[in-house]
Amino acid sequence: MAELHGKMHKQETVCIFGTGDFGRSLGLRLLQSGYNVVYGSRDPKNSLLLPKGSKVMAHAAAAGEAHVIFVAVQREHYGFLSSLASDLEGKVLIDVSNNLRRGLYPESNAEYLSSLVPGVTVVKAFNTISAWALQSGGLDANRQVLICGDRADAKQQVVDIAQSLGFTVLDRGSIRAAAELEDLPLQLFPLWRLPFRIAICLTAFIFFYALTRDVIYERVTNGKDIAFRIMVSLANKVFPIVSLVMLSLCYLPGALAGFLQLYNGTKYRRFPDWLDRWMLCRKQLGLLALAFGFLHVLYTLVIPIRYYVRYRINVYTISLVKDNITYEFDNTAAWRYDSYYSMGILGFGLFVLLGITSLPSVSNSLNWREFSFVQSKLGYMTLLLCTFHTFLYGWDRFLKTSSYRWWMPQAYMLSLVVPCVVLILKLILIMPCVDRKVTRIRQGWERHSKTSSNCRDTKTNQPLMA
């Protein structure tokens, strides 16, 4: 019986008003899913690019062929629908339109369509799906259809069609939500804006700081022109610093949230808006940090083949030969440099693992405990290794007065401030006495709650959650 119902359902006829890219892609996908497709066009004779197996006719005739009609035309061209009011009576119109910018019209396109043809039921859907997604099968992020409408039976028909095409459906409520759905495709990387701004500001600040301290200082005080070092040496200072600071910024809001919960004595008080926004973009901060770290690795691999490096090595070697000096092996330096490279490799390896597990296809295969272990435990381990890598790079140079040019510390010292703050805060939070209290708060305990203060065993007079 279920098979028979499925076959009958697949033989339904669906009408599409509009023969553009989206209309053609939608029709092809409907045909592949077993539906009959009829197009309504203002000029049926010139509609030659439609998918094979579909029919094309005038709007009025096409409307009589199906109960569900996709309106795949822009709002500016809705005018012809008024003349079809009698033909569209009782039909379900699916509005798939979007606007060029927000606030272009006082009401949503779907609400306007509903007022234009009062006898129909309008459902907003498929406006967040691209023509490319319809052609490629709706993979990954383009697999969800958002719908809204006032009638449950009409929305159910749209849900059935969407699921037949291989999409998942999320009901966003009444037709009043249409304006929100129409704004979604207009958003350009909303969660990436703050991380991009942070990355740009950090990069600019560190670049000009290092430029002043290294290049301009040498030009002013010693008359040396080392501007050529901007391309590789300076860039290879900026990228790892930005990467480490941005990685630290991924974990700083979590630590601040823990201390705020301790201060408030409850988890039910809302965090400040700036902290909420910060926590929502931690994934993007981490991915940008990984990108800068990857650039640092590439630039480091280029260093041995640079003309400047090969020149310095040749000059140094020749000077040793001329002066008949033997280059002594320094065991301490060997340990330092090997440890420095080892910490960098391990840190970058874990960094890549964090980036991989943030991908939806990977994170969806992990349960919450596994995901939390990787992103939290291994994340802090990554931060610790990268911070230790930076300490080994600087070694004892912070003790030398020559390192402070124009009273400016070396750039790597600036990169250690935020990571050290994060690691210290985390160290405090994982102390047993603090961790126990934070855990109780996150399990619902409240400092000033009468319920929690009265939850004591009547025999021992001890708290039940001690």
Side-chain angles (χ1 to χ4, degrees), residues 36-223:
N36 296 320
V37 177
V38 57
Y39 283 93
S41 174
R42 58 188 172 184
D43 191 1
K45 293 182 180 179
N46 291 330
S47 303
L48 303 176
L49 300 176
L50 300 179
K52 187 177 180 180
S54 62
K55 299 178 182 179
V56 58
M57 54 188 70
H59 289 117
E65 295 287 323
H67 179 68
V68 176
I69 302 172
F70 283 87
V71 182
V73 297
Q74 296 297 327
R75 174 175 174 145
E76 293 80 7
H77 305 298
Y78 281 176
F80 75 93
L81 295 170
S82 299
S83 62
L84 301 174
S86 59
D87 299 298
L88 298 175
E89 185 76 28
K91 307 285 186 179
V92 176
L93 298 189
I94 304 175
D95 177 37
V96 302
S97 66
N98 290 308
N99 296 317
L100 295 176
R101 63 178 186 272
R102 294 185 182 185
L104 191 60
Y105 300 104
E107 73 285 303
S108 68
N109 295 346
E111 291 173 304
Y112 172 69
L113 180 59
S114 183
S115 65
L116 195 65
V117 192
V120 303
T121 301
V122 176
V123 177
K124 187 73 184 184
F126 284 89
N127 69 301
T128 57
I129 303 295
S130 66
W132 179 87
L134 289 168
Q135 293 173 7
S136 63
L139 300 175
D140 300 328
N142 256 321
R143 195 161 48 190
Q144 189 175 69
V145 173
L146 306 178
I147 71 168
C148 67
D150 291 334
R151 286 184 52 181
D153 57 338
K155 287 195 289 185
Q156 186 57 49
Q157 293 181 63
V158 181
V159 169
D160 292 340
I161 293 174
Q163 290 178 342
S164 298
L165 300 185
F167 295 100
T168 59
V169 181
L170 179 62
D171 190 343
R172 298 297 292 267
S174 72
I175 200 68
R176 293 183 179 181
E180 180 185 349
L181 298 192
E182 290 170 8
D183 284 342
L184 289 177
L186 300 176
Q187 296 179 0
L188 183 63
F189 304 116
L191 293 178
W192 288 86
R193 292 176 186 174
L194 179 60
F196 269 125
R197 289 170 185 165
I198 293 174
I200 291 171
C201 292
L202 268 176
T203 302
F205 172 74
I206 299 299
F207 174 79
F208 285 110
Y209 183 91
L211 180 69
T212 302
R213 190 189 171 282
D214 296 341
V215 179
I216 297 177
Y217 175 86
E218 286 292 334
R219 181 71 175 182
V220 172
T221 58
N222 300 323

Side-chain angles (χ1 to χ4, degrees), residues 362-377:
V362 178
S363 61
N364 290 341
S365 65
L366 303 175
N367 61 38
W368 173 246
R369 187 175 183 183
E370 292 167 342
F371 183 78
S372 177
F373 172 79
V374 173
Q375 293 294 327
S376 181
K377 302 291 192 302

Side-chain angles (χ1 to χ4, degrees), residues 428-439:
I428 296 173
L429 287 173
I430 63 175
M431 293 175 63
C433 56
V434 179
D435 179 63
R436 191 181 303 116
K437 192 166 185 178
V438 172
T439 302

Side-chain angles (χ1 to χ4, degrees), residues 353-406:
L353 179 61
L354 294 178
I356 292 174
T357 54
S358 68
L359 298 175
S361 57
V362 178
S363 61
N364 290 341
S365 65
L366 303 175
N367 61 38
W368 173 246
R369 187 175 183 183
E370 292 167 342
F371 183 78
S372 177
F373 172 79
V374 173
Q375 293 294 327
S376 181
K377 302 291 192 302
L378 293 186
Y380 276 105
M381 179 59 67
T382 303
L383 181 60
L384 180 63
L385 288 172
C386 292
T387 304
F388 193 41
H389 171 71
T390 308
F391 270 113
L392 289 171
Y393 168 79
W395 200 241
D396 60 351
R397 279 185 285 179
F398 70 97
L399 297 174
K400 299 176 181 178
T401 56
S402 59
S403 296
Y404 299 86
R405 299 174 178 176
W406 285 339

Side-chain angles (χ1 to χ4, degrees), residues 236 239-240 291-303 344 348:
N236 204 30
F239 293 146
F292 279 99
F294 189 70
L295 288 173
H296 171 51
V297 171
L298 292 179
Y299 271 77
T300 303
L301 293 176
V302 169
I303 287 176
F348 183 71

